[in-house]
Amino acid sequence: MKTKQLTILLAVLFLLVSVFIAVCLINKKGENSTVTDGGSNNLRSLIRTIDTDKVTEITIPVDDVKMTFTKKDGKWFIYGDEDTVINDRVIEKILDETEMLLSIREIGEKPYEEYGLDKPSLEAEIVVPGEKIRLLFGNKSDRYDGYYFTTDGRNIHIVDSSLKNIFEIGLSDIVSLPSLSRENIISFSFQSANGAVYDSDSPDVNLSDLLSVILSAEPSYIVGYGKAGNEAFGMDNPATAKINYKNGDSITVLFGLGDEDKYIYVSFGKSTAVFVCDSEKSEELT
């Protein structure tokens, strides 16, 4: 009797172990399918190359806002906005890293939704003459230190996490904002959104307090660029501050109120880039 019970117990245990192994194999099937020679742990296979010297345009997320940059006379600009100064080195570094796209492991032709590529966690686009190259990053691989990745019409791969990280940049990385300082100011004027003008000749106005509010409204991240849609940030009828410095610099700052009173949007001069900042004294600028 005891022998029979032991036999049954061992059979049940064997069955459970078999089911566990089968489940593990199914979970790993996606990552282990259609593995290329270059998909070993120590080697990388080449997905494709990009002639980065010929790139004329690149679209990348900046603070989760898709921004397009174009190259003109060897310099990079925000698309449609040559007045905002940007850090060319950031763009060049991205292009250096994407010149050779390497795969840790090839998954093959699989449904995009299985790997998060139907709703990419990050998407970029690089334009060379005659071709637009989309780079799509999906979910993070549970087994490898990488992300599921594809380009248009190509197989799914796992690429190193560092490739995705190079695209994750913020406002302070790419945009060079004017430096607003209280030092060496020779004149200052302000026009509210309702058309009232305040300067050194205006009575009953504390320009020092108003200037303090303006100088403290530092942009934290970009929310949009290009004239289309900027009215949503109040930039169709902004308040305007003009600050003149001893060295001849003159900075114009545009302020618009957002949907909530605590938000103030700011732009500089002729630039169409709009940034959000948080000010406790937003009423001072209306």
Side-chain angles (χ1 to χ4, degrees):
M1 185 66 180
K2 290 183 179 180
T3 303
K4 184 177 180 181
Q5 290 176 340
L6 181 61
T7 301
I8 294 174
L9 182 61
L10 289 174
V12 172
L13 181 61
F14 176 77
L15 180 61
L16 291 173
V17 171
S18 299
V19 171
F20 176 77
I21 292 174
V23 170
C24 290
L25 290 175
I26 291 173
N27 288 339
K28 300 301 181 184
K29 184 179 179 181
E31 292 184 354
N32 287 332
S33 62
T34 60
V35 177
T36 63
D37 292 339
S40 67
N41 291 332
N42 297 321
L43 299 176
R44 300 286 192 272
S45 61
L46 181 64
I47 300 174
R48 67 163 298 163
T49 59
I50 299 175
D51 190 349
T52 54
D53 289 335
K54 294 183 179 180
V55 173
T56 59
E57 187 174 293
I58 182 171
T59 300
I60 54 178
V62 179
D63 289 328
D64 297 326
V65 174
K66 282 187 178 181
M67 294 191 66
T68 299
F69 300 89
T70 57
K71 196 171 189 180
K72 180 180 179 181
D73 298 329
K75 289 185 64 64
W76 286 97
F77 299 94
I78 297 175
Y79 181 81
D81 180 0
E82 297 184 9
D83 293 290
T84 300
V85 180
I86 69 167
N87 186 351
D88 288 55
R89 290 176 296 178
V90 174
I91 303 295
E92 295 298 338
K93 185 177 181 181
I94 290 174
L95 293 178
D96 287 343
E97 294 294 329
T98 55
E99 187 171 9
M100 295 182 63
L101 297 173
L102 301 177
S103 172
I104 296 176
R105 189 170 290 267
E106 182 179 348
I107 304 301
E109 296 182 4
K110 300 288 182 178
Y112 274 19
E113 57 270 17
E114 290 186 17
Y115 302 95
L117 289 164
D118 56 328
K119 297 179 180 179
S121 57
L122 189 147
E123 180 178 354
E125 184 176 272
I126 296 175
V127 178
V128 295
E131 185 180 13
K132 288 185 178 181
I133 306 165
R134 294 179 67 211
L135 311 179
L136 305 179
F137 295 84
N139 298 333
K140 187 171 176 44
S141 169
D142 293 331
R143 187 176 181 184
Y144 303 95
D145 182 21
Y147 286 86
Y148 297 106
F149 171 86
T150 190
T151 58
D152 286 345
R154 299 181 183 274
N155 292 337
I156 297 173
H157 296 263
I158 299 176
V159 295
D160 195 272
S161 295
S162 61
L163 180 61
K164 182 173 183 284
N165 294 341
I166 198 69
F167 286 96
E168 295 176 337
I169 62 175
L171 169 64
S172 59
D173 300 316
I174 189 69
V175 177
S176 299
L177 297 175
S179 177
L180 298 179
S181 171
R182 184 180 287 272
E183 296 182 2
N184 299 319
I185 294 178
I186 58 174
S187 64
F188 161 70
S189 62
F190 179 79
Q191 179 174 324
S192 68
N194 61 21
V197 177
Y198 306 98
D199 54 27
S200 56
D201 297 324
S202 301
D204 302 324
V205 175
N206 191 328
L207 287 183
S208 180
D209 286 349
L210 181 57
L211 181 60
S212 296
V213 172
I214 291 171
L215 297 180
S216 65
E218 295 184 2
S220 57
Y221 60 92
I222 194 164
V223 292
Y225 71 99
K227 293 182 179 180
N230 276 2
E231 62 273 9
F233 309 116
M235 289 301 170
D236 54 336
N237 184 35
T240 305
K242 187 173 183 180
I243 307 172
N244 299 309
Y245 291 90
K246 288 182 179 179
N247 63 0
D249 288 345
S250 179
I251 300 176
T252 300
V253 190
L254 308 179
F255 295 92
L257 293 179
D259 296 333
E260 299 181 28
D261 289 341
K262 69 175 183 177
Y263 288 116
I264 292 178
Y265 297 95
V266 62
S267 187
F268 297 92
K270 296 179 181 179
S271 171
T272 60
V274 180
F275 313 94
V276 69
C277 53
D278 195 354
S279 172
E280 296 179 356
K281 297 182 178 180
S282 59
E283 67 277 1
E284 303 260 355
L285 301 176
T286 59

